[in-house]
Amino acid sequence: MRIVSRKTIRKFWEKHPDAEQALEAWYHDAKRAVWKTPADIKSIYRNASFVGNNRVVFNIKGNQYRLVVAIQYQHGIIYIRFIGTHAEYNRINVNTI
C-alpha cells in the first residue's frame, strides 16, 4: 500500500515519543500489505473499526492513541487523516475528517 503521508506520523511521534515504536510498526505493516477489502485489514488488526466513507480507525499503543485513515482499496492508497489521543479523537467527526 502507498501511505500518504509519513510526515504526519513522524510529526505526531515527535510530540508523543511513546507512540513512535507503535506507529513505525503500523507503518511498516501497512506499507507491505495488500488490502483489497476491509476483511483483509480485519484479519490482521482485529480491533480496527470501520466507519463511513472508507475510514478505518486503528488503536495505537495499547489503545492510547487513535489513527484514522481513508483507504482507496482499488488504488492501494492509504491517506492519514488523523492521529491523536482519545480526547482529541472524541472532538472530531471521523466520517468527514
Side-chain angles (χ1 to χ4, degrees):
M1 303 291 289
R2 237 179 79 219
I3 303 170
V4 181
S5 110
R6 184 179 176 144
K7 183 178 179 180
T8 304
I9 295 171
R10 190 174 48 248
K11 281 185 171 184
F12 184 80
W13 81 50
E14 287 172 357
K15 291 181 183 176
H16 303 274
D18 63 321
E20 181 176 2
Q21 184 177 6
L23 286 169
E24 278 282 4
W26 177 88
Y27 179 86
H28 289 293
D29 287 348
K31 186 174 176 102
R32 291 185 189 121
V34 180
W35 293 333
K36 299 289 184 189
T37 67
D40 295 336
I41 296 170
K42 204 65 161 167
S43 70
I44 298 168
Y45 293 97
R46 298 198 189 289
N47 292 326
S49 300
F50 300 89
V51 295
N53 207 13
N54 286 327
R55 301 297 199 268
V56 183
V57 181
F58 294 93
N59 297 322
I60 301 296
K61 195 176 181 290
N63 209 15
Q64 288 184 353
Y65 302 106
R66 294 279 177 100
L67 169 65
V68 179
V69 302
I71 300 180
Q72 286 188 353
Y73 295 98
Q74 67 275 20
H75 299 294
I77 301 173
I78 300 172
Y79 297 95
I80 306 297
R81 304 304 298 157
F82 170 85
I83 307 172
T85 65
H86 275 277
E88 293 166 336
Y89 174 82
N90 289 335
R91 291 192 299 262
I92 67 166
N93 181 339
V94 72
N95 293 313
T96 59
I97 193 160

